[in-house]
Amino acid sequence: MITLDGRALNRALLARQFLLRRQELTAYAALEHLVGLQAQEPQEPYVGLWSRLAAFDPLELSKLIEERTAVRTLLMRRTLHVVTARDALALRAVHQPMLEARMWATLRRNLPGVDLAELAAAGRPLFEGEPRMLTEVAREIAGRWPGVAARDLGDALSCLVPLVQVPPRGLWGRKGAARNTTVERWLGQPPVPDTPEAVDGLVLRYLAAYGPAASADIRAWSGLSGLRESVTRLRLRLRVFRDERRRELFDVPDGELPDPGTPAPVRFLPAFDNVVLGFDDRGRIIDKEHRGLSVAGARFVLVDGRVSATWTLTGGVLGVDPLRPLSRGERDEVAAEARDLLALYGGGSLRL
């Protein structure tokens, strides 16, 4: 069995994430391939697409959201993602048990006496009437559960009821309250039922965009349990490798495996980008000592394909803070990419 070292896995990941070469694709096609982009911060997905697509116009993603072709909704790992409407319908039921389990693990002590089915039944009609904030709906029904904080009821509702955040939230350069309505009201149909085939399809899509990867990596990205059964069903259709830790890595038959020596350009990543978060073993792209930054909302700069700096944008100043010494050539390449990124934001200055 072939062993793939960290460099080979890094270049495969960059290629499949469109970070080795910007692609001539639509924003919709990119969202489909990547299975969405994490979107806890409303403006971050725009940087993610800018780094991956040639001549990306942020208004293209805004238009998808306004036209209800893409939506902001809870999916993988109980985090907000911007996904195509088709994926919102196809994947919500797959993730529903995980969403409820993670919510309950966090909130069970804060929800004494709350029947979750009753809470969902009470909250759903209010979201269907008009887009509402979670706490607004929670306050209207909180009298049923005296002593339970509306904040916790709202947090629970975000997982119990399939919701989408509606614009102007998530539009480029716009601000808006996090108002929610149901998936069914916004898209005109309810999420489709969960099936083993849906889970298998999700595993294959993950491997196409993130692989080769271990079953633990798929679980870390999705938050789902029970994936061993899916991998077993798919095994005869997959390539199998090993990494340097001797873990089995699974891959789609046509997954790109570039030469490990392929040069990797500098790329700026948004906060919480799945290219870093989408693995149990993130060693293929970030050093262990910096892993904590990936869950703290840091924005990263990839140099030679690895996390090598963080970046911020404050008051029109794009600041880059290296995590390791950069050569003069690397600094020049970072500066050139940073200036292009500033153009996306309408200009500004660079601190490096």
Side-chain angles (χ1 to χ4, degrees), residues 4-13 212 257-260:
L4 299 175
D5 63 18
R7 177 94 175 183
L9 292 173
N10 174 268
R11 291 313 193 250
L13 174 62
L257 290 174
D259 185 316

Side-chain angles (χ1 to χ4, degrees), residues 203-272:
V203 169
L204 291 172
R205 290 177 67 190
Y206 171 82
L207 293 175
Y210 294 85
S215 57
D217 296 319
I218 310 170
R219 184 170 59 251
W221 168 77
S222 66
L224 301 177
S225 58
L227 291 172
R228 186 178 300 275
E229 293 85 350
S230 179
V231 171
T232 299
R233 287 192 298 269
L234 293 169
R235 190 179 184 95
L236 292 179
R237 298 168 54 185
L238 300 175
R239 294 185 293 182
V240 182
F241 303 98
R242 290 197 184 277
D243 65 12
E244 293 174 305
R245 294 169 51 194
R246 307 302 297 163
R247 298 187 310 163
E248 272 194 324
L249 304 179
F250 302 99
D251 197 16
V252 290
D254 58 349
E256 188 174 358
L257 290 174
D259 185 316
T262 303
V266 165
R267 290 290 184 258
F268 280 69
L269 299 179
F272 305 113

Side-chain angles (χ1 to χ4, degrees), residues 15-19 21-38 45-54 56-57 60-61 64 69-70 76 81-87 205 208-210 221 273-274:
R16 300 182 196 194
Q17 286 285 307
F18 307 151
L19 293 167
R21 294 175 298 277
R22 283 186 167 95
Q23 301 294 303
E24 298 281 352
L25 291 175
T26 65
Y28 183 91
L31 288 179
E32 284 270 298
H33 174 75
L34 298 169
V35 201
L37 290 163
Q38 190 154 329
Y46 292 90
V47 178
L49 288 177
W50 174 83
S51 288
R52 290 171 164 92
L53 301 181
F56 171 65
D57 182 351
E60 182 185 358
L61 178 56
L64 293 178
T69 310
M76 286 70 74
H81 279 69
V82 57
V83 297
T84 63
R86 181 165 65 178
D87 273 346
R205 290 177 67 190
Y210 294 85
W221 168 77
D273 196 295
N274 280 330

Side-chain angles (χ1 to χ4, degrees), residues 57-130:
D57 182 351
L59 296 182
E60 182 185 358
L61 178 56
S62 285
K63 185 177 181 181
L64 293 178
I65 295 172
E66 289 183 301
E67 294 180 347
R68 309 187 187 192
T69 310
V71 297
R72 292 166 47 80
T73 190
L74 281 183
L75 281 175
M76 286 70 74
R77 304 185 304 280
R78 197 190 165 210
T79 54
L80 271 172
H81 279 69
V82 57
V83 297
T84 63
R86 181 165 65 178
D87 273 346
L89 294 169
L91 299 180
R92 178 61 187 230
V94 172
H95 290 83
Q96 189 64 34
M98 175 273 295
L99 294 173
E100 295 185 15
R102 289 196 171 197
M103 175 275 293
W104 188 241
T106 302
L107 296 178
R108 63 188 306 168
R109 294 182 180 179
N110 299 346
L111 300 173
V114 176
D115 180 276
L116 299 183
E118 181 184 353
L119 175 59
R124 183 187 297 268
L126 299 179
F127 289 114
E128 290 175 338
E130 62 176 325

Side-chain angles (χ1 to χ4, degrees), residues 42 128 139 149 174 178 181 186 212 280 300 308:
E128 290 175 338
R139 282 194 293 268
R174 301 274 299 277
T181 190
W186 193 248
D280 176 62
F300 292 131
S308 300

